[in-house]
């Protein structure tokens, strides 16, 4: 992706589309599910404020862990302020593009503009992606066998909407998604730490097939990126990986616990540890669905699947309201912050030009 395309993608005006889609879907769901009695009977106590504050703290912890990780991966070439700007712009890029497209090319561009050479920038984004996927690959079986598949996938019986949208294919989608992510991790691990040129050769051969030939150039570029990244990360000390791995664990755990704390806001009796693990497990399934979302940042899709996947933990009539609150905390802020930071960041990194 060249500079002009990336700058076009980063236009602040692009926030209009995901915000419009998300609010339209959330508004429709709120209107459809609104229950006056449910809202009037909610007992808002100081506990509600505590759980709301806890959710906000998880959002902050997630971002702090991301900033710390980018500083570790850049060997602290980025200050805390620059790390904050890079992460916010990275999140902004991810929020205005479909999840299937991703923000990796934009992330490489952003890091490179911070005076980090293109090879190291590529390596940082590759390692970041690998750590994120490894977290998923490791956590899924741990949570899956702790909670049990029957409870995780019983959501198909919740409502006609859930049955029409997911039905019995939900488990298949989850398994296929997990297998793809697992395979991706194996390929990246082999390429980064063993033989990247073999993976490049394999990419070229696979994408030389008639149906895939038009992506052959992109596959070769991906192979080149792996070779460059492999050279950059070889010889990194154990502390480098331990710190980056710990930051990844805390950032993703905090991301998911935002939802756990939000669900506690309207509840009087609270939830047990098993219910918290079940909510955590269902979010892992939700994440696979959001990966294939065609809308920017999963906007619209996220609000629907939140209501479907987690509705049995929320009082009737509050599903859509809680979904909107979740997105207001974990998605929309990055659109706004990114759009605010972007003009000043562009002015700073292009001053000499």
């Amino acid at each position: 992706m060249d500079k002009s395309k990336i700058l076009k993608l980063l236009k602040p005006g692009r926030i209009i589309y995901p915000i419009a889609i998300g609010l339209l879907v959330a508004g429709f769901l709120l209107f459809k599910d609104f229950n006056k009695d449910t809202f009037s009977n909610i007992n808002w106590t100081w506990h509600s404020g505590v759980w709301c504050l806890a959710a906000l703290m998880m959002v902050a912890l997630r971002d702090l862990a991301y900033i710390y990780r980018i500083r570790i991966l850049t060997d602290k070439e980025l200050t805390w302020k620059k790390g904050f700007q890079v992460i916010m712009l990275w999140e902004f890029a991810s929020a205005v593009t479909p999840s299937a497209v991703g923000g990796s090319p934009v992330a490489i561009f952003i890091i490179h503009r911070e005076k980090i050479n293109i090879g190291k920038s590529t390596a940082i984004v590759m390692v970041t992606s690998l750590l994120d996927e490894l977290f998923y690959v490791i956590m899924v079986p741990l949570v899956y066998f702790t909670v049990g598949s029957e409870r995780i996938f019983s959501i198909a019986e919740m409502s006609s909407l859930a049955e029409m949208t997911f039905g019995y294919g939900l488990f298949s989608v989850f398994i296929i998604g997990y297998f793809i992510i697992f395979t991706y991790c194996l390929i990246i691990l082999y390429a980064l730490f063993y033989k990247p040129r073999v993976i490049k050769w394999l990419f070229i051969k696979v994408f030389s097939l008639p149906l895939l030939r038009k992506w052959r150039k992109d596959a070769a570029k991906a192979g080149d990126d792996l070779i460059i990244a492999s050279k950059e990360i070889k010889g990194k000390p154990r502390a480098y990986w331990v710190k980056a791995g710990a930051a990844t664990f805390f950032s993703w755990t905090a991301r998911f616990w935002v939802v756990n704390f939000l669900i506690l806001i309207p509840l009087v009796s609270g939830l047990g540890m098993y219910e918290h693990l079940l909510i955590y497990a269902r979010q892992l399934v939700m994440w696979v669905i959001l990966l294939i979302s065609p809308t920017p940042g999963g906007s619209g899709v996220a609000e629907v699947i939140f209501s479907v996947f987690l509705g049995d933990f929320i009082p009737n009539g509050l599903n859509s309201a809680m979904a909107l609150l979740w997105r207001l905390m974990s998605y929309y802020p990055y659109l706004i912050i990114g759009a605010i930071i972007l003009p000043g960041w562009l002015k700073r990194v292009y001053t000499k030009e």
Side-chain angles (χ1 to χ4, degrees), residues 7-39:
L7 291 176
K8 184 178 180 181
L9 181 66
L10 286 173
K11 280 185 177 180
R14 291 181 64 90
I15 69 173
I16 295 172
Y17 304 109
I19 288 177
I21 294 170
L23 291 181
L24 283 172
V25 172
F28 170 76
L29 293 174
L30 279 171
F31 175 78
K32 175 178 172 292
D33 299 334
F34 181 76
N35 187 317
K36 183 179 178 180
D37 293 333
T38 300
F39 276 89

Side-chain angles (χ1 to χ4, degrees), residues 187-259:
I187 291 172
I188 300 301
L189 281 169
Y190 182 85
L192 290 180
F193 297 101
Y194 193 48
K195 291 186 177 180
R197 294 186 183 278
V198 171
I199 299 300
K200 179 184 177 180
W201 176 85
L202 182 63
F203 281 177
I204 292 173
K205 287 296 182 182
V206 170
F207 284 89
S208 294
L209 297 172
L211 292 176
L212 304 174
R213 193 168 294 160
K214 68 176 181 178
W215 294 293
R216 187 173 183 271
K217 186 177 179 181
D218 292 334
K221 174 64 169 59
D224 289 335
D225 289 344
L226 285 171
I227 293 170
I228 293 169
S230 178
K231 290 178 181 178
E232 286 287 339
I233 67 171
K234 280 183 178 177
K236 292 293 184 184
R238 182 180 297 179
Y240 175 91
W241 297 107
V242 171
K243 291 177 181 178
T248 301
F249 173 80
F250 282 111
S251 63
W252 277 96
T253 300
R255 176 197 290 259
F256 288 142
W257 274 91
V258 169
V259 172

Side-chain angles (χ1 to χ4, degrees), residues 84-340:
F84 170 78
Q85 292 179 337
V86 166
I87 292 301
M88 290 301 108
L89 291 175
W90 194 337
E91 291 287 345
F92 174 78
S94 298
V96 296
T97 55
S99 300
V101 175
S104 293
V106 182
I108 294 172
F109 169 80
I110 293 169
I111 296 169
H112 179 51
R113 292 310 308 180
E114 293 289 353
K115 298 181 180 179
I116 295 174
N117 70 66
I118 190 66
K120 190 170 184 177
S121 299
T122 303
I124 289 166
V125 175
M126 286 277 186
V127 170
T128 298
S129 176
L130 175 63
L131 290 172
D132 288 340
E133 306 301 349
L134 277 175
F135 171 85
Y136 189 83
V137 166
I138 294 169
M139 288 303 299
V140 163
L142 289 176
V143 176
Y144 181 88
F145 290 111
T146 301
V147 175
S149 61
E150 186 176 346
R151 288 296 306 276
I152 296 174
F153 297 101
S154 63
I155 58 172
E157 301 172 3
M158 284 171 49
S159 66
S160 58
L161 173 62
E163 191 169 351
M164 287 189 296
T165 308
F166 303 105
Y168 296 104
L170 176 59
F171 181 75
S172 300
V173 171
F174 172 71
I175 292 298
I176 292 170
Y178 182 83
F179 176 76
I180 291 171
I181 294 170
F182 184 79
T183 304
Y184 170 83
C185 285
L186 289 180
I187 291 172
I188 300 301
L189 281 169
Y190 182 85
L192 290 180
F193 297 101
Y194 193 48
K195 291 186 177 180
R197 294 186 183 278
V198 171
I199 299 300
K200 179 184 177 180
W201 176 85
L202 182 63
F203 281 177
I204 292 173
K205 287 296 182 182
V206 170
F207 284 89
S208 294
L209 297 172
L211 292 176
L212 304 174
R213 193 168 294 160
K214 68 176 181 178
W215 294 293
R216 187 173 183 271
K217 186 177 179 181
D218 292 334
K221 174 64 169 59
D224 289 335
D225 289 344
L226 285 171
I227 293 170
I228 293 169
S230 178
K231 290 178 181 178
E232 286 287 339
I233 67 171
K234 280 183 178 177
K236 292 293 184 184
R238 182 180 297 179
Y240 175 91
W241 297 107
V242 171
K243 291 177 181 178
T248 301
F249 173 80
F250 282 111
S251 63
W252 277 96
T253 300
R255 176 197 290 259
F256 288 142
W257 274 91
V258 169
V259 172
N260 288 67
F261 288 135
L262 284 178
I263 288 175
L264 290 171
I265 292 175
L267 300 182
V268 177
S269 57
L271 295 171
M273 183 54 67
Y274 180 82
E275 283 72 23
H276 278 296
L277 284 173
L278 181 56
I279 293 169
Y280 193 95
R282 287 190 180 174
Q283 288 185 75
L284 290 170
V285 180
M286 287 168 58
W287 191 63
V288 172
I289 305 298
L290 286 174
L291 279 178
I292 57 175
S293 170
T295 60
S299 190
V301 177
E303 288 80 0
V304 172
I305 66 172
F306 181 96
S307 299
V308 173
F309 276 66
L310 303 173
D312 50 346
F313 299 101
I314 303 169
N316 289 333
L318 289 180
N319 294 17
S320 303
M322 296 303 294
L324 179 59
L325 182 58
W326 168 55
R327 295 292 273 179
L328 286 172
M329 279 192 181
S330 63
Y331 176 69
Y332 293 116
Y334 299 106
L335 290 172
I336 306 301
I337 294 171
I340 292 171

